[in-house]
């Protein structure tokens, strides 16, 4: 799974936009223009067009060749399967582009090292490249760095003030603005960036990002309509936005669509459909998706009942800090569902869940206490009667 494209943050990369102003070798401007007109899915054609100029000291040629070789290496390949040899030409052209002064190449190097495309994934190295792009004034680098500053992700400490300063600068760029509108909208609803909280204005900004297909913004538009942040509650509109985000792999939206199938919101109830969406959310790493899928396996709703599978999913969610999953595991331990009865372990998990913020369930707590009393009153399993004779 690509690390850059998870949860709230889109990979936005503003590529080369024209030849350099320095006088180029004859024919190179035409070749660069031809390469720029080719589709993103045609890296071989780009390489063929620019290969005759690969030895020139032209930063845009080196950058475009690096980009084309990168796309060729990652096209249709899982990140873990990208060979070092496949990405090496991209790295070589990228280093040449950097030496020739291309400001765009830093974002390309950031993507390669952040995603681990043919190299070890390394946030520190990747962010170092991104910062160099910011220092060079490259819009894509500024955009991606500003988002990481705002959300505090990928090894970047959260710094709202610095993020907001970049947001204000990027908002003047018509190409960049829609891509930062989601974060700016969230900040506006919260009263950050030195502005008073303004829900209506913030939601309008979020919609600007949603309208260009930004999955996290689509998800937040679903929430806005579900909870009435954008006017009257409108579940139909909410679910439409959730569906758009879910179709793009937004794990929270996938979970929410599953809930809609469980509840029968704007559709007939269908446990099997819910299982499909919960499974996608769980596979994307969302703890709520894991918990809801575990519930379906535990109850046999929409899928064959499988307590062991439910327990595994609860454990995975618990390892990610989900308090509900810990409490559910406590219930499975005390009832012996998919595992031996163990009220001692159940008590440990229940207490940990409550400390993490899960709500008390008196019936479960009382059952655990009852089983512990029963265990204390039982003779040791290996006790035997003694005899003097």
């Amino acid at each position: 799974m690509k690390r850059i494209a998870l949860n709230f943050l889109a990979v936005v990369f503003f590529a080369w936009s024209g030849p350099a102003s320095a006088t180029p070798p004859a024919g190179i401007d035409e070749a660069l223009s031809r390469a720029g007109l080719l589709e993103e899915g045609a890296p071989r054609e780009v390489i063929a067009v620019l290969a005759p100029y690969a030895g020139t000291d032209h930063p845009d040629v080196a950058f475009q060749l690096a980009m084309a070789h990168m796309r060729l290496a990652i096209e249709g390949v899982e990140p873990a399967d990208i060979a070092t040899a496949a990405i090496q030409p991209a790295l070589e052209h990228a280093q040449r582009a950097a030496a020739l002064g291309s400001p765009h190449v830093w974002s390309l190097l950031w993507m390669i090292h952040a995603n681990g495309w043919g190299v070890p994934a390394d946030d520190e190295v990747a962010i170092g490249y991104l910062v160099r792009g910011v220092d060079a004034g490259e819009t894509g680098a500024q955009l991606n760095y500003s988002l990481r500053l705002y959300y505090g992700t990928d090894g970047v400490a959260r710094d709202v003030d610095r993020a907001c300063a970049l947001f204000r600068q990027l908002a003047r760029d018509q190409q960049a603005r829609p891509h930062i509108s989601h974060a700016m909208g969230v900040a506006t609803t919260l009263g950050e960036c030195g502005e008073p909280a303004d829900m209506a204005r913030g939601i309008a900004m979020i919609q600007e990002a949603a309208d260009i297909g930004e999955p996290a913004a689509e998800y937040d538009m679903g929430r806005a309509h579900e909870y009435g942040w954008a006017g009257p509650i409108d579940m139909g509109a909410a679910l439409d936005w959730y569906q758009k985000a879910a179709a793009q792999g937004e794990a929270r939206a996938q979970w929410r669509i599953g809930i809609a199938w469980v509840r029968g919101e704007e559709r007939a109830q269908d446990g099997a459909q819910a299982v499909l969406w919960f499974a996608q959310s769980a596979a994307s790493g969302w703890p709520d998706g894991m918990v809801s899928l575990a519930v379906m396996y535990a109850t046999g709703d929409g899928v064959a009942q499988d307590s062991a599978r439910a327990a595994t999913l609860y454990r995975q969610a618990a390892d990610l800090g989900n308090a509900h999953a810990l409490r559910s595991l406590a219930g499975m331990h005390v009832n012996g569902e998919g595992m031996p009865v163990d009220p001692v372990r159940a008590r440990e998990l229940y207490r940990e869940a409550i400390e993490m913020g899960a709500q008390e369930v008196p019936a479960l707590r009382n059952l655990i206490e009852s089983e512990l009393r029963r265990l204390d009153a039982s003779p040791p399993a290996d006790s035997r009667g003694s005899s003097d004779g």
Side-chain angles (χ1 to χ4, degrees), residues 240-329:
D240 285 345
W241 281 113
Y242 287 140
Q243 189 70 53
K244 290 178 181 179
Q248 295 197 73
E250 219 297 337
R252 298 167 299 167
Q254 291 169 333
W255 170 80
R256 187 59 185 84
I257 291 296
I259 292 294
W261 283 108
V262 169
R263 294 176 179 171
E265 295 171 323
E266 304 288 323
R267 67 201 70 203
Q269 288 179 304
D270 190 328
Q273 282 292 325
V275 166
L276 291 175
W277 286 104
F278 290 152
Q280 290 183 58
S281 179
S284 297
W286 185 237
D288 287 350
M290 297 171 191
V291 169
S292 293
L293 185 59
V295 171
M296 304 303 274
Y297 274 106
T299 60
D301 185 0
V303 69
Q305 197 273 341
D306 187 337
S307 295
R309 176 64 177 146
T312 296
L313 287 161
Y314 281 136
R315 287 192 190 99
Q316 290 174 351
D319 287 344
L320 294 172
N322 188 284
H324 182 181
L326 281 171
R327 191 183 62 196
S328 297
L329 272 176

Side-chain angles (χ1 to χ4, degrees), residues 4 101 122 151 205 215 219 280 302 312 338-339 341:
I4 291 297
D122 190 323
Y151 292 111
M205 290 179 172
Y219 172 75
Q280 290 183 58
T312 296
M339 61 193 69
V341 173

